[in-house]
Amino acid sequence: MKTFYVLNGPNLNRLGKREPGVYGNETLEVVEHRLAELANEKGVTAIFKQSNHEGDLIDWIHEAENADGIIMNPGAFTHYSYAIRDAIASVPVPVVEVHISNVHKRESFRHNSVISPVTEGQIVGFGTKGYELALLSFL
Ligand code: DQA
């Protein structure tokens, strides 16, 4: 059975409470539950992790080295974490980067991703549906 990691970075545990005008009203739990249902329907396994700490995210990227794909929203680390970028480059697993908001419509510091050059692609601005689009992109 194919296995996909779904990694969420800093402040994404605050979904539902955090800037709802930007990120919507759904909690991460609800988003993960919906994604788990989609994974189940498609006959694949999804492993969900969230951390506010860079090192945890790096460890999980390494842990996923034999998985079939990683769906990752690195939060603000997207814009400056060379360590996460290097972790992705160190594993043979394809990564799809997800951003709930349209980062290109927002502050200029959000326009650049240091992660994108080592990912398969980026899904931006489709709200929490972006995670499902990312999973479907692997199937
Ligand atoms: C985000 C966009 C980032 O700029 C921000 O720091 C986040 C969330 C998004 O999902 O739109 O934490 O990755």
Side-chain angles (χ1 to χ4, degrees):
M1 194 186 264
K2 287 191 171 177
T3 301
F4 299 94
Y5 276 65
V6 182
L7 305 182
N8 277 288
N11 301 307
L12 290 156
N13 57 315
R14 304 276 309 159
L15 276 185
K17 291 182 192 147
R18 172 193 187 194
E19 300 180 81
V22 177
Y23 298 111
N25 296 305
E26 282 174 347
T27 62
L28 185 58
E29 203 183 0
V30 165
V31 173
E32 289 180 343
H33 183 75
R34 224 185 27 237
L35 207 51
E37 277 181 350
L38 178 64
N40 197 31
E41 198 181 291
K42 298 291 180 186
V44 301
T45 301
I47 296 172
F48 300 99
K49 312 255 189 203
Q50 187 278 330
S51 178
N52 297 322
H53 306 281
E54 194 177 22
D56 288 340
L57 295 163
I58 291 167
D59 288 344
W60 292 329
I61 292 166
H62 297 167
E63 184 184 299
E65 69 176 329
N66 296 315
D68 297 284
I70 300 175
I71 295 162
M72 183 165 195
N73 184 345
F77 286 141
T78 305
H79 313 300
Y80 65 92
S81 176
Y82 297 116
I84 289 179
R85 176 200 162 115
D86 284 353
I88 292 172
S90 82
V91 294
V93 192
V95 175
V96 171
E97 179 184 345
V98 172
H99 299 289
I100 297 166
S101 65
N102 182 350
V103 284
H104 302 291
K105 270 189 182 171
R106 302 180 63 198
E107 302 95 324
S108 59
F109 77 86
R110 296 185 203 277
H111 296 177
N112 186 49
S113 166
V114 300
I115 308 294
S116 292
V118 290
T119 63
E120 293 297 298
Q122 206 188 30
I123 297 174
V124 170
F126 291 103
T128 54
K129 208 188 291 172
Y131 294 96
E132 282 151 282
L133 296 173
L135 181 60
L136 290 172
S137 79
F138 279 121
L139 305 178

